[in-house]
Amino acid sequence: MSAPGIHPPPADLAKSAHVSSEKQYDELYKQSIEEPEKFWGNIASTFHWNKRWSSPVTRSNFDMNKGPIKIEWFIGGETNLCHNAVDRHVNNGLGGKVAFLYEGNDIGPGSQMTYGEVLERVCKLANYLKSIGVGKGSDVTIYMPMIPELPIAMLACARIGAVHSVVFAGFSAESLAGRVLDSRPDVVLTCSGVKRGPKTLSLKGIVDDGLKRAADGGHKVGHCVVYHHRDCMPQSEVPWTDDRDTWWHDAVEHQPASCDVTWLDAEAPLFKLYTSGSTGKPKGVQHSQAGYMVGSATTFKYVFDYHDDDVYWCTADCGWITGHSYVTYGPMLNAATQVIFEGVPTYPTAGRPWEIVDKYKVSLLYTAPTAIRSLMAKGNDIVKKASRKSLRILGTVGEPINVEAWKWYNEVVGDKRCPIVDTWWQTETGAHMITPLPGATPLKPGSATKPFFGVVPAVLNEQGKELEGAAEGYLVIKQAWPSMLRTLAGDQERFEKTYFEHFKGFYFTGDGCKRDEDGYYWLTGRVDDVINVSGHRIGTAEVEGALTTCHLCTEAAVVPVEHPIKGQGIYAFVSLMEGHDYPPEANVRKELIDTVRRVIGPIATPDCIHWAPGLPKTRSGKIMRRILRKIANKEEDSLGDTSTLADPSVVETLLSLRGK
Ligand code: 6R9
């Protein structure tokens, strides 16, 4: 019997799992830490290398006092991710295996694409890209919806050594422009439009605006390749710039269906992915070839206990790291069959995810707590209408999962049969870091449980002292793992400052955590100025910056607020230009919100605007966010010490304006 609240792995699942007991996990984990050469060397040998590495692991230094932070894995090796994710399987006789089961936004028959077909499409696109001068080290920006051509575009870049930067196609023109100005690609790959639920959006219109802004900012993109999405709008209605734009089908269809792979150094960059930090503009997290390949593939295999006949569905978009590691790379490196779903989970009804599970016989489902909570709010009947008997393992990612949502996922969606893998990781870590293994780890609802192989977490106190045993503090990682970021694009100094300056000798995650007496980790959320909205990172500084671009706003302070569906919401305190009353006329709120949507994108829409004739500041002018956080979360009974405020009366004024 296990202790109450602990969910042991189902016996039949454990029997056939890659790791089937705690004992086996402990042994493998120990080997991964004590003999990393052997452990990672054995795993890496299962991939194709044009040239084998001379040393699998690693020259890594996490201590700034000992010189620059440099991480290298599989030194001297040469490989290619596209070859390993596609050609290798076709060469092994799996060309006829389905890679993508594509389900569009509207209910329809769906379509499928085999690994052989993926290879052909990747090669044609890669040949076209080469013909316009893209090659090793070139930057390519991708702004596309979740259609099979999105992972195909990423793989085509990887095939020829181009560095992709996927920008989530829900970001605004201005956000796109910022990322284009940072990575300065000559080529942008996009799509005419997208349907999201009942709405049709012209992606090409957004791209045109973004590229114009980038040109005004000093970088002109030479080529824009546009995939025509037939469900959205006629070709003739798509806005066009003749000397820059090309239709994907015109460019690609007549290209040869084979294309040599470009072999790449193990440490050559694979992609950049921009993510929000606590200060300034989003940073370009840069991953490299071999370590990321080994990390994303190995975690996929063990964490989802992947077997050849599984059907996998990850609901994330490739615009986020989850879509990179667990749509494009991890599953395809394992020759998995996966569902690519373009729509939203609640359209046309909240039964859609479960209909998709039944339609494609999904066995491994990976989604976010925010999606679970929004589906849970629609009631159980709609779930029970579907059989869901194909499901084997359920996963979550993006934010801590609350116990009620965990139980609902377990009991209602998984009929208590399916282990839940609550996977903690980050854009920067490239792959799962703290996570159960479904055949081995007894689960505690709300805990991401134990470290994956090769990951050595630690808990530090404020002073940077490592705490032993059961403890609460800052989560750090003690040594390099294969898929970790290598730098921030073009800014090694910011890389070192962001992750290695805070606690010397450790990688700082930006998360707080508790570790219990069994060595289980419980993530408690960001400890920096990053808000986790529906599992997406939004920097408070970015939202404040967007608000102050509005001519009505003089100053803004943004804090997280608890939100029943999104986990955290965005709560903005706003001071207005002279001459406005508090509260101001109704249109002011709308104008501020519209500004944020335009500057960053709809995901950054503030949930609440709280009028602030003054903000609580110290005498040196620093905003006391601690106080604002309490006010936003209605915890003003415990405001703490306000005597250091330059003007303590601002707090009373703020409280009097709540809900106004
Ligand atoms: C993969 C991804 C990273 C931040 C991370 C943490 C939060 C992610 C979590 C989780 C608790 C989990 N986070 N997974 N918190 N439990 N299972 O989401 O990457 O977008 O970079 O966000 O998300 O706060 O630091 P990214």
Side-chain angles (χ1 to χ4, degrees):
M1 272 298 278
S2 56
I6 297 192
H7 300 244
D12 53 336
L13 189 142
K15 224 184 297 162
S16 62
H18 296 305
V19 183
S20 45
S21 67
E22 275 184 288
K23 184 165 164 284
Q24 196 190 351
Y25 161 79
D26 288 342
E27 284 164 10
L28 283 165
Y29 180 75
K30 190 161 176 271
Q31 192 200 55
S32 76
I33 306 303
E34 290 176 359
E35 300 172 272
E37 276 83 4
K38 189 166 155 201
F39 184 86
W40 292 114
N42 283 343
I43 290 179
S45 299
T46 64
F47 294 86
H48 180 89
W49 298 79
N50 184 51
K51 192 170 143 221
R52 200 181 152 88
W53 61 89
S54 53
S55 151
V57 199
T58 175
R59 283 200 290 270
S60 76
N61 167 36
F62 274 14
D63 188 346
M64 289 170 76
N65 297 331
K66 294 191 183 140
I69 308 291
K70 188 165 189 192
I71 292 111
E72 290 175 289
W73 283 77
F74 308 106
I75 295 166
E78 273 180 19
T79 188
N80 182 289
L81 266 93
C82 179
H83 179 91
N84 276 288
V86 190
D87 305 49
R88 184 168 56 116
H89 311 315
V90 174
N91 296 345
N92 287 339
L94 293 176
K97 185 169 182 192
V98 173
F100 302 140
L101 295 159
Y102 166 62
E103 170 85 3
N105 179 73
D106 296 324
I107 292 180
S111 62
Q112 57 182 51
M113 204 186 288
T114 62
Y115 274 91
E117 287 164 335
V118 171
L119 178 60
E120 196 177 309
R121 295 200 189 199
V122 166
C123 285
K124 286 187 169 187
L125 179 60
N127 278 327
Y128 174 70
L129 290 173
K130 283 210 284 200
S131 79
I132 55 171
V134 176
K136 216 190 247 190
S138 309
D139 282 286
V140 173
T141 294
I142 303 176
Y143 186 82
M144 295 183 72
M146 260 321 258
I147 54 177
E149 281 70 21
L150 174 47
I152 285 171
M154 296 162 78
L155 290 163
C157 290
R159 187 170 195 86
I160 57 175
V163 181
H164 59 69
S165 155
V166 182
V167 179
F168 172 58
F171 275 120
S172 66
E174 198 159 325
S175 296
L176 173 64
R179 286 150 171 83
V180 165
L181 276 169
D182 196 79
S183 63
R184 309 185 95 74
D186 189 40
V187 179
V188 172
L189 304 175
T190 189
C191 183
S192 51
V194 59
K195 276 184 91 176
R196 274 202 195 109
K199 283 185 273 184
T200 301
L201 302 174
S202 165
L203 288 189
K204 181 60 175 29
I206 298 171
V207 169
D208 283 1
D209 185 5
L211 296 190
K212 181 173 178 311
R213 286 164 192 265
D216 293 345
H219 180 73
K220 195 158 177 266
V221 166
H223 302 268
C224 180
V225 187
V226 189
Y227 184 83
H228 180 50
H229 195 317
R230 286 177 174 72
D231 295 349
C232 289
M233 62 188 73
Q235 239 172 288
S236 56
E237 283 175 23
V238 177
W240 209 251
T241 304
D242 279 335
D243 60 352
R244 185 197 63 197
D245 300 345
T246 316
W247 285 112
W248 186 300
H249 49 263
D250 289 343
V252 163
E253 280 321 316
H254 63 274
Q255 294 289 335
S258 68
C259 167
D260 286 345
V261 159
T262 302
W263 298 110
L264 299 157
D265 187 87
E267 282 301 329
L270 172 68
F271 68 83
K272 297 168 189 175
L273 182 58
Y274 288 85
T275 186
S276 294
S278 44
T279 53
K281 56 179 184 146
K283 41 197 193 211
V285 169
Q286 190 167 307
H287 283 280
S288 65
Q289 306 283 329
Y292 179 84
M293 172 173 80
V294 170
S296 62
T298 309
T299 47
F300 178 80
K301 173 177 165 185
Y302 286 103
V303 173
F304 297 111
D305 188 44
Y306 171 73
H307 287 73
D308 290 342
D309 53 355
D310 274 313
V311 175
Y312 167 79
W313 179 24
C314 167
T315 63
D317 188 288
C318 286
W320 310 103
I321 190 68
T322 304
H324 281 60
S325 302
Y326 300 109
V327 175
T328 305
Y329 292 111
M332 298 194 76
L333 286 161
N334 283 279
T337 295
Q338 66 179 316
V339 174
I340 302 273
F341 175 45
E342 189 188 342
V344 293
T346 47
Y347 177 82
T349 72
R352 190 80 188 272
W354 322 119
E355 287 159 16
I356 294 176
V357 165
D358 279 3
K359 178 170 175 183
Y360 297 107
K361 309 220 166 10
V362 171
S363 56
L364 313 172
L365 175 65
Y366 194 30
T367 190
T370 186
I372 297 168
R373 288 189 297 263
S374 75
L375 294 165
M376 180 172 143
K378 308 281 180 191
N380 299 355
D381 292 351
I382 200 153
V383 186
K384 299 280 182 197
K385 264 197 211 148
S387 107
R388 292 158 289 113
K389 69 173 191 298
S390 55
L391 288 173
R392 224 163 57 78
I393 290 160
L394 304 172
T396 79
V397 57
E399 55 176 310
I401 180 163
N402 49 314
V403 174
E404 305 80 75
W406 194 101
K407 288 202 164 137
W408 186 81
Y409 202 26
N410 176 251
E411 289 168 16
V412 180
V413 176
D415 290 328
K416 298 191 187 163
R417 295 181 296 110
C418 309
I420 294 178
V421 288
D422 173 359
T423 60
W424 174 84
W425 60 294
Q426 308 178 298
T427 304
E428 292 86 343
T429 69
H432 300 146
M433 297 291 278
I434 299 181
T435 172
L437 300 184
T441 317
L443 304 174
K444 300 186 188 184
S447 169
T449 75
K450 301 266 192 121
F452 189 72
F453 307 135
V455 174
V456 188
V459 184
L460 306 185
N461 69 10
E462 193 78 50
Q463 287 72 42
K465 185 174 163 307
E466 186 172 343
L467 305 172
E468 300 298 328
E472 178 163 5
Y474 298 103
L475 177 64
V476 298
I477 312 293
K478 288 170 82 164
Q479 64 185 50
W481 61 98
S483 64
M484 74 180 292
L485 80 166
R486 297 305 195 255
T487 191
L488 293 177
D491 202 344
Q492 174 74 12
E493 192 183 330
R494 189 173 176 202
F495 165 67
E496 297 190 356
K497 274 212 169 104
T498 308
Y499 304 107
F500 299 95
E501 191 172 54
H502 215 79
F503 298 117
K504 296 280 170 353
F506 299 97
Y507 166 84
F508 179 44
T509 63
D511 280 320
C513 80
K514 282 185 216 162
R515 186 176 49 212
D516 70 15
E517 54 291 344
D518 298 325
Y520 276 48
Y521 288 82
W522 302 72
L523 278 299
T524 51
R526 300 289 304 189
V527 293
D528 53 7
D529 291 322
V530 171
I531 306 185
N532 191 327
V533 185
S534 301
H536 300 315
R537 281 157 68 168
I538 311 280
T540 54
E542 273 175 83
V543 184
E544 289 162 7
L547 284 165
T548 48
T549 62
C550 176
H551 65 104
L552 299 165
C553 170
T554 49
E555 194 171 20
V558 168
V559 295
V561 62
E562 270 187 46
H563 190 286
I565 302 287
K566 300 181 191 176
Q568 290 189 325
I570 297 176
Y571 197 104
F573 293 87
V574 173
S575 305
L576 296 169
M577 289 290 178
E578 283 289 324
H580 285 283
D581 295 328
Y582 291 92
E585 327 66 272
N587 62 321
V588 175
R589 184 186 309 270
K590 181 167 183 315
E591 198 163 337
L592 286 162
I593 288 179
D594 287 349
T595 306
V596 177
R597 292 171 68 92
R598 195 181 64 246
V599 174
I600 305 177
I603 48 169
T605 308
D607 293 278
C608 180
I609 296 218
H610 190 135
W611 306 116
L615 290 167
K617 290 185 185 169
T618 60
R619 287 186 195 92
S620 60
K622 223 169 165 292
I623 296 173
M624 290 183 75
R625 287 166 194 281
R626 174 176 63 79
I627 291 178
L628 294 177
R629 248 181 247 139
K630 295 265 178 191
I631 295 175
N633 288 289
K634 302 204 172 81
E635 292 166 0
E636 55 268 19
D637 293 348
S638 57
L639 277 187
D641 184 11
T642 54
S643 63
T644 53
L645 285 175
D647 175 8
S649 76
V650 296
V651 173
E652 281 310 308
T653 313
L654 282 178
L655 289 174
S656 74
L657 282 164
R658 175 168 5 245
K660 298 281 166 63

